[in-house]
Short mmCIF file of all heavy atoms in Angstrom, two decimals:
data_model
loop_
_atom_site.label_atom_id
_atom_site.label_comp_id
_atom_site.label_asym_id
_atom_site.label_seq_id
_atom_site.Cartn_x
_atom_site.Cartn_y
_atom_site.Cartn_z
N THR W 522 13.27 -3.89 15.22
CA THR W 522 13.26 -3.49 16.58
C THR W 522 12.31 -4.47 17.36
O THR W 522 11.22 -4.64 17.02
CB THR W 522 12.85 -2.08 16.80
OG1 THR W 522 13.71 -1.21 16.04
CG2 THR W 522 12.82 -1.71 18.22
N GLU W 523 12.83 -5.11 18.36
CA GLU W 523 12.01 -6.03 19.15
C GLU W 523 11.05 -5.27 19.98
O GLU W 523 11.34 -4.12 20.50
CB GLU W 523 12.93 -6.86 20.05
CG GLU W 523 13.90 -7.73 19.41
CD GLU W 523 13.17 -8.86 18.64
OE1 GLU W 523 12.07 -9.31 19.13
OE2 GLU W 523 13.63 -9.29 17.59
N PRO W 524 9.81 -5.84 20.31
CA PRO W 524 8.98 -5.19 21.26
C PRO W 524 9.66 -5.02 22.61
O PRO W 524 10.35 -5.97 23.07
CB PRO W 524 7.81 -6.24 21.37
CG PRO W 524 7.84 -7.05 20.08
CD PRO W 524 9.30 -7.05 19.73
N GLY W 525 9.50 -3.86 23.24
CA GLY W 525 10.17 -3.58 24.55
C GLY W 525 9.21 -3.54 25.66
O GLY W 525 7.99 -3.74 25.48
N PRO W 526 9.70 -3.23 26.88
CA PRO W 526 8.83 -3.11 28.10
C PRO W 526 7.79 -2.02 27.96
O PRO W 526 6.66 -2.17 28.50
CB PRO W 526 9.80 -2.84 29.21
CG PRO W 526 11.06 -2.48 28.58
CD PRO W 526 11.14 -2.92 27.19
N ASP W 527 8.03 -1.01 27.17
CA ASP W 527 7.04 0.09 27.03
C ASP W 527 6.10 -0.11 25.78
O ASP W 527 5.36 0.78 25.46
CB ASP W 527 7.80 1.44 26.89
CG ASP W 527 8.59 1.73 28.14
OD1 ASP W 527 8.15 1.27 29.18
OD2 ASP W 527 9.63 2.41 27.95
N ASP W 528 6.24 -1.25 25.28
CA ASP W 528 5.49 -1.54 24.01
C ASP W 528 3.98 -1.47 24.27
O ASP W 528 3.52 -2.12 25.18
CB ASP W 528 5.88 -2.96 23.64
CG ASP W 528 5.33 -3.32 22.17
OD1 ASP W 528 4.41 -2.64 21.75
OD2 ASP W 528 5.87 -4.18 21.58
N PRO W 529 3.26 -0.70 23.50
CA PRO W 529 1.81 -0.59 23.71
C PRO W 529 1.08 -1.87 23.31
O PRO W 529 -0.06 -2.06 23.84
CB PRO W 529 1.40 0.55 22.85
CG PRO W 529 2.45 0.63 21.75
CD PRO W 529 3.76 0.19 22.40
N GLY W 530 1.59 -2.68 22.55
CA GLY W 530 0.82 -3.89 22.11
C GLY W 530 1.75 -5.05 21.88
O GLY W 530 2.99 -4.81 22.08
N PRO W 531 1.28 -6.19 21.50
CA PRO W 531 2.19 -7.36 21.36
C PRO W 531 3.29 -7.12 20.30
O PRO W 531 4.37 -7.63 20.51
CB PRO W 531 1.23 -8.45 20.84
CG PRO W 531 -0.14 -7.96 20.98
CD PRO W 531 -0.12 -6.50 21.22
N ALA W 532 3.05 -6.34 19.38
CA ALA W 532 4.03 -6.16 18.31
C ALA W 532 4.19 -4.78 17.86
O ALA W 532 4.80 -4.38 16.90
CB ALA W 532 3.66 -6.98 17.09
N GLY W 533 3.61 -3.80 18.71
CA GLY W 533 3.55 -2.39 18.32
C GLY W 533 4.84 -1.70 18.14
O GLY W 533 4.91 -0.61 17.57
N ASN W 534 5.91 -2.22 18.71
CA ASN W 534 7.20 -1.58 18.56
C ASN W 534 8.12 -2.17 17.49
O ASN W 534 9.29 -1.84 17.35
CB ASN W 534 7.96 -1.79 19.91
CG ASN W 534 8.41 -0.46 20.46
OD1 ASN W 534 8.20 0.60 19.83
ND2 ASN W 534 9.10 -0.48 21.60
N CYS W 535 7.54 -3.06 16.75
CA CYS W 535 8.34 -3.85 15.78
C CYS W 535 8.55 -3.07 14.49
O CYS W 535 7.79 -3.09 13.57
CB CYS W 535 7.57 -5.11 15.41
SG CYS W 535 8.52 -6.32 14.58
N ARG W 536 9.65 -2.21 14.51
CA ARG W 536 9.83 -1.37 13.38
C ARG W 536 11.16 -1.79 12.58
O ARG W 536 12.11 -2.26 13.22
CB ARG W 536 10.14 0.00 13.80
CG ARG W 536 8.84 0.92 13.98
CD ARG W 536 9.09 2.20 14.60
NE ARG W 536 9.67 3.20 13.66
CZ ARG W 536 8.94 4.00 12.85
NH1 ARG W 536 7.69 3.83 12.86
NH2 ARG W 536 9.53 4.81 12.01
N PRO W 537 11.06 -1.64 11.28
CA PRO W 537 12.28 -2.01 10.47
C PRO W 537 13.46 -1.03 10.74
O PRO W 537 13.20 0.21 10.89
CB PRO W 537 11.85 -1.95 9.09
CG PRO W 537 10.37 -1.71 9.10
CD PRO W 537 10.02 -1.17 10.43
N HIS W 538 14.66 -1.51 10.78
CA HIS W 538 15.85 -0.55 10.80
C HIS W 538 16.14 -0.23 9.36
O HIS W 538 15.75 -0.95 8.42
CB HIS W 538 17.05 -1.29 11.32
CG HIS W 538 16.88 -1.72 12.81
ND1 HIS W 538 17.74 -2.59 13.45
CD2 HIS W 538 15.96 -1.39 13.74
CE1 HIS W 538 17.38 -2.74 14.68
NE2 HIS W 538 16.27 -2.03 14.87
N ASP W 539 16.81 0.94 9.24
CA ASP W 539 17.19 1.39 7.94
C ASP W 539 18.44 0.78 7.40
O ASP W 539 19.51 1.34 7.43
CB ASP W 539 17.41 2.93 7.99
CG ASP W 539 16.14 3.76 7.99
OD1 ASP W 539 15.12 3.19 7.62
OD2 ASP W 539 16.20 4.92 8.39
N THR W 540 18.36 -0.44 6.91
CA THR W 540 19.49 -1.03 6.29
C THR W 540 19.68 -0.51 4.89
O THR W 540 18.72 0.03 4.26
CB THR W 540 19.35 -2.59 6.25
OG1 THR W 540 18.26 -2.85 5.39
CG2 THR W 540 19.15 -3.20 7.60
N ASP W 541 20.93 -0.66 4.33
CA ASP W 541 21.22 -0.17 2.99
C ASP W 541 20.21 -0.83 1.99
O ASP W 541 19.68 -0.22 1.12
CB ASP W 541 22.71 -0.44 2.54
CG ASP W 541 23.59 0.48 3.34
OD1 ASP W 541 23.13 1.45 3.98
OD2 ASP W 541 24.81 0.24 3.30
N ASP W 542 20.06 -2.12 2.14
CA ASP W 542 19.24 -2.89 1.23
C ASP W 542 17.78 -2.35 1.24
O ASP W 542 17.17 -2.14 0.17
CB ASP W 542 19.16 -4.37 1.55
CG ASP W 542 20.40 -5.06 1.07
OD1 ASP W 542 21.26 -4.41 0.36
OD2 ASP W 542 20.59 -6.28 1.43
N ARG W 543 17.28 -2.12 2.47
CA ARG W 543 15.92 -1.63 2.59
C ARG W 543 15.71 -0.20 1.90
O ARG W 543 14.76 0.06 1.30
CB ARG W 543 15.48 -1.58 4.02
CG ARG W 543 15.16 -2.95 4.54
CD ARG W 543 14.74 -2.95 5.99
NE ARG W 543 14.68 -4.33 6.45
CZ ARG W 543 14.81 -4.73 7.73
NH1 ARG W 543 15.03 -3.87 8.61
NH2 ARG W 543 14.67 -6.01 8.01
N LEU W 544 16.67 0.65 2.27
CA LEU W 544 16.62 1.98 1.69
C LEU W 544 16.67 1.98 0.18
O LEU W 544 16.05 2.76 -0.49
CB LEU W 544 17.63 2.90 2.30
CG LEU W 544 17.43 3.19 3.81
CD1 LEU W 544 18.54 4.08 4.32
CD2 LEU W 544 16.11 3.79 4.09
N ARG W 545 17.55 1.09 -0.32
CA ARG W 545 17.64 0.95 -1.85
C ARG W 545 16.30 0.43 -2.34
O ARG W 545 15.76 0.90 -3.39
CB ARG W 545 18.73 -0.07 -2.17
CG ARG W 545 20.04 0.58 -2.61
CD ARG W 545 20.98 -0.35 -3.32
NE ARG W 545 21.32 -1.48 -2.49
CZ ARG W 545 22.34 -1.48 -1.64
NH1 ARG W 545 23.06 -0.42 -1.50
NH2 ARG W 545 22.59 -2.54 -0.98
N ALA W 546 15.65 -0.50 -1.67
CA ALA W 546 14.33 -1.08 -2.14
C ALA W 546 13.29 -0.01 -2.09
O ALA W 546 12.46 0.11 -2.97
CB ALA W 546 13.95 -2.25 -1.23
N VAL W 547 13.31 0.75 -1.03
CA VAL W 547 12.25 1.93 -0.94
C VAL W 547 12.49 2.92 -2.08
O VAL W 547 11.58 3.31 -2.70
CB VAL W 547 12.43 2.67 0.47
CG1 VAL W 547 11.62 3.93 0.44
CG2 VAL W 547 11.95 1.73 1.58
#
Side-chain angles (χ1 to χ4, degrees):
T522 300
E523 294 293 327
D527 300 328
D528 191 338
N534 233 359
C535 191
R536 273 174 79 85
H538 297 167
D539 281 342
T540 62
D541 287 348
D542 281 354
R543 282 179 189 156
L544 293 179
R545 260 196 300 275
V547 168

